[in-house]
Amino acid sequence: MSENTLDPNQLEKLTGIFRVLFNAPQLELRDNLTAKDVAGWDSFNHVNLIISIEEEFGLRFSNDEVGSLQNVGHLKHLLASKLASS
Amino acid sequence: MLNEFLTDLFKGQTGKALSLLESRPVEQPVPPDVITMLRLAILQRDLNFLTCQRLHNLWTRWGRPALKPNATPRKVLLLSDFTADNFVPLVTLFCAAQGVEAEVILPGFDSIEQTVLDPTSSLYRARPDIVILFFSDHWLRRYTGNAALVRHSDLEQAQETLSNLVREIESNSPADILVGNLPGRAYPLPAGTVAVKDRMGWNLAVTRFNDWLARRSSTRVHVVDLAEAVFGAGGRQAVGATNFLRARMAYETSGTLSTARELGSGIAHICGKTHRALVSDWDNTLWGGEVAEVGSFGVECGQESPDALGYYMVQEYLKSLQPLGILLAGISRNDPAVSRIFDDNPEMALKLDDFSSLQIGWNPKSESVARVSKELGFGPEFMVFLDDSLYEIAEVLTSHPYMDAVLAGPDSQSTLARLTRMRLFNAVSLSEEDLKRSSRALKLREQRELQSSFGNIEDFLKAIQVRLNVSPLNVNNLERVVQMFQKTNQFNLTTRRHREDDLKQLEKRGGNVFAFSYEDTFGSQGLISIVNLVPEDDAVFIESWLMSCRVLNRTVEQAIFSFIVQKAKGKRVRGEFIPTEKNGLVRNLYPGLGFRNISRDEPTGTEYWVYDGPGPGSEPPKHFTTIQES
């Protein structure tokens, strides 16, 4: 497993969070997916998304990291590196 | 599926339980077991935010069915000084689980003050049935400033502002108003309880604010205990820290969930959707072990071991609900003789009398629940079932899908934690009806109903065949006699708090202690009255006379008096009335029985009375009670 890639279980878990939070059972996490592609992913729900990822994976993003996320690929990368270093 | 679901749910495997429900194809009308599963899942504590969201999705996928019968539709408007968007789905969900179909509205982000004071604001345009006002500590700080010490005058100004806001809503809208009180801060200020001349520490200010708020409640204004909700969610960890920085939320997710639940149950309460009865299993729920196996004294309950103490506390908790009008029913698949445990074992916090309905027998518990419902006069949807067996819970819920349930065990502490933390009996106010609905009141009502089918009270009293049994002080009744002397306040002529030694001394001096127990066709009430008689030269002196109020108005006191007259054997009967704050009930007892007043002692107010015996114009009082001396 590369340091910056989520393993399949982790990816499934992350996908599950997105699907529940945005009530989109078929959603797939393409790397270029952004907030404007997903109904309900507004700035407020972005905070809920981060909170949920933090809770489910048992880690913490810094407030800077939360603001700087561009797309799902970026999020996966950040999450993977956090998981690898924890 | 229900059995499997309940097993996962009550074992804390909520995710697994929800997967079962997610895999089930949607059908209409929604089957009752789906309703039961959705509702019980929502009622579980310790769900995290994502699980609540998942439940919300599931409930939506099934078409948002009512989770209780006759759901009350209510438009609920939230007003807060912080970002409360997450409260919209959560309050909706928690309301649904309690029988309120809430349409929750969050008006655009204006200050609370602007929204309330503008008569054209969304608050009034939306015509809500319920307005919820809740704040973070930042709201209060706008009035008190940020210094560690708060000026009295600033706190008063905040209170006055809130008062004005509430008044404004009251006069411009017919809505009920729920106001949340304040929890502590995310970052504590030092010197929290300091009080100097015109200033006080922050914690003291919050305590005073909450206390003031509680006294502001009225028929339309109710206070929701958000401070308790936050405390229950972990206290400071639940107050907005990260969430406040990221999105101006007043709470972390645990606090948001807990306060949303508290608001949901507050809303349900003012809609009359509260639980009115707890239906409890006995063995391994109220005590450890099985009475039929180990006997009345072999069960775990009392002070002897940690688990026994836990069971005692479970019983205490059930008993503590009585003043809220929560009735208690006992259901046990057992020989009815096991009920003796409540009389036999003095370590029980509960007594048999505490149960308004008893179903002890071998039939299925779902049938027993139906009988409880019939006896208490309301449906199982107003009841909570407590049992240590998942089988029994599933059996009951299959027949009564709208009943709520809590799993007891595997030990007493788990039961205590699960039962209390679910806050199923939460209240924001108490109605007359709630207050009247105590076990005793219900039994009396039953009797009154029976009474009304008779032409008059005499026929009724004859029909219920009241029998009093009189015993002298003995080893069997000593403990309860002494206890009654300590506890009886209202029907107590002299309020002498005798203990064992005093009573034995009294007997040595030639006096008598008489203990009366009561029985009628409704059953036994146990020991209900004690009379101490002391012989004097020309009279018999009633040294003490106390009686349980629960047998008032049944001519019991008249019957006891006739017993006293009989013991006086033609001598006069002398009595004293020593007034206390609580015994006004018996102020007129002696004159009513035909005594005449001799004197009154100032300043104690003690009155001396004498009964010269029956004569013309003073017939012995009538009663319809048989007395048996043993």
Side-chain angles (χ1 to χ4, degrees), chain B residues 298-581:
Chain B
V299 299
E300 289 247 33
C301 180
Q303 317 289 323
E304 294 305 310
S305 70
D307 214 28
L309 181 56
Y311 282 113
Y312 182 81
M313 288 168 74
V314 169
Q315 292 197 11
E316 268 189 331
Y317 177 73
L318 301 195
K319 211 175 164 84
S320 77
L321 300 172
Q322 285 176 344
L324 303 177
I326 311 293
L327 301 180
L328 189 58
I331 290 189
S332 181
R333 280 159 55 76
N334 245 318
D335 186 314
V338 300
S339 314
R340 282 183 38 210
I341 186 173
F342 291 99
D343 286 328
D344 291 349
N345 188 333
E347 305 254 22
M348 300 276 142
L350 287 169
K351 299 292 164 217
L352 204 57
D353 271 359
D354 292 317
F355 294 91
S356 296
S357 174
L358 282 176
Q359 311 297 333
I360 315 303
W362 296 104
N363 43 328
K365 289 195 175 175
S366 57
E367 284 177 19
S368 299
V369 167
R371 285 206 198 117
V372 170
S373 168
K374 206 166 165 197
E375 282 183 20
L376 300 185
F378 47 81
E381 69 268 27
F382 293 106
M383 302 178 188
V384 177
F385 182 50
L386 176 68
D387 202 302
D388 66 307
S389 154
L390 275 168
Y391 167 84
E392 301 287 10
I393 290 180
E395 195 272 326
V396 164
L397 294 182
T398 304
S399 295
H400 307 291
Y402 293 110
M403 191 172 188
D404 292 315
V406 178
L407 178 69
D411 53 32
S412 54
Q413 194 182 350
S414 311
T415 307
L416 196 56
R418 222 177 277 128
L419 186 61
T420 55
R421 294 203 59 228
M422 279 177 85
R423 290 177 76 69
L424 292 166
F425 303 101
N426 209 2
V428 289
S429 60
L430 289 175
S431 65
E432 283 295 307
E433 195 198 344
D434 293 326
L435 293 172
K436 272 192 236 151
R437 207 192 307 117
S438 74
S439 149
R440 189 60 51 202
L442 194 86
K443 212 161 194 179
L444 289 177
R445 191 165 70 218
E446 253 175 50
Q447 298 189 2
R448 274 199 304 276
E449 275 159 17
L450 181 59
Q451 186 177 332
S452 65
S453 66
F454 289 91
N456 58 45
I457 180 82
E458 295 187 7
D459 290 343
F460 168 69
L461 289 171
K462 282 178 200 155
I464 66 170
Q465 299 166 29
V466 177
R467 296 176 298 281
L468 295 181
N469 208 311
V470 196
S471 320
L473 192 65
N474 60 41
V475 283
N476 297 321
N477 63 21
L478 178 66
E479 194 175 330
R480 298 186 64 188
V481 165
V482 171
Q483 195 182 43
M484 200 162 164
F485 268 107
Q486 311 314 311
K487 283 189 179 165
T488 309
N489 296 316
Q490 292 179 287
F491 194 117
N492 196 336
L493 274 306
T494 55
T495 321
R496 296 188 167 108
R497 301 295 191 197
H498 293 312
R499 296 188 180 272
E500 183 177 344
D501 278 358
D502 308 322
L503 296 173
K504 292 200 165 147
Q505 282 300 321
L506 185 133
E507 283 185 327
K508 262 189 200 153
R509 286 187 277 122
N512 289 98
V513 179
F514 294 106
F516 297 78
S517 27
Y518 175 106
E519 200 177 355
D520 63 25
T521 51
F522 291 102
S524 166
Q525 299 268 14
L527 185 71
I528 49 95
S529 185
I530 301 164
V531 172
N532 287 355
L533 293 183
V534 175
E536 295 178 333
D537 289 342
D538 58 342
V540 165
F541 171 49
I542 306 174
E543 193 266 353
S544 291
W545 183 0
L546 42 144
M547 195 173 94
S548 160
C549 294
R550 61 182 195 245
V551 295
L552 273 181
N553 304 323
R554 302 179 193 189
T555 68
V556 170
E557 55 273 50
Q558 286 80 359
I560 290 175
F561 179 58
S562 74
F563 175 83
I564 295 171
V565 170
Q566 184 202 323
K567 288 287 160 193
K569 294 188 180 129
K571 287 205 260 182
R572 298 194 300 170
V573 179
R574 208 164 65 72
E576 279 175 16
F577 170 66
I578 305 176
T580 69
E581 270 180 26

Side-chain angles (χ1 to χ4, degrees), chain A residues 20 48 54-56 60 63, chain B residues 48 57 86 242 246 253:
Chain A
V20 168
N48 283 333
E54 287 176 336
E55 267 188 11
E56 296 297 309
R60 211 60 201 262
N63 293 326
Chain B
N48 64 17
N57 296 347
N86 280 338
T242 311
R246 286 180 184 169
T253 40

Side-chain angles (χ1 to χ4, degrees), chain A residues 1-12 14-15 29 57 72 75-81 83:
Chain A
M1 186 182 71
S2 144
E3 201 185 311
N4 295 333
T5 316
L6 294 174
D7 71 29
N9 284 338
Q10 291 164 341
L11 182 61
E12 193 189 323
L14 183 66
T15 310
L29 294 188
F57 286 93
V72 165
L75 173 67
K76 285 190 207 166
H77 180 82
L78 180 66
L79 182 59
S81 56
L83 286 168

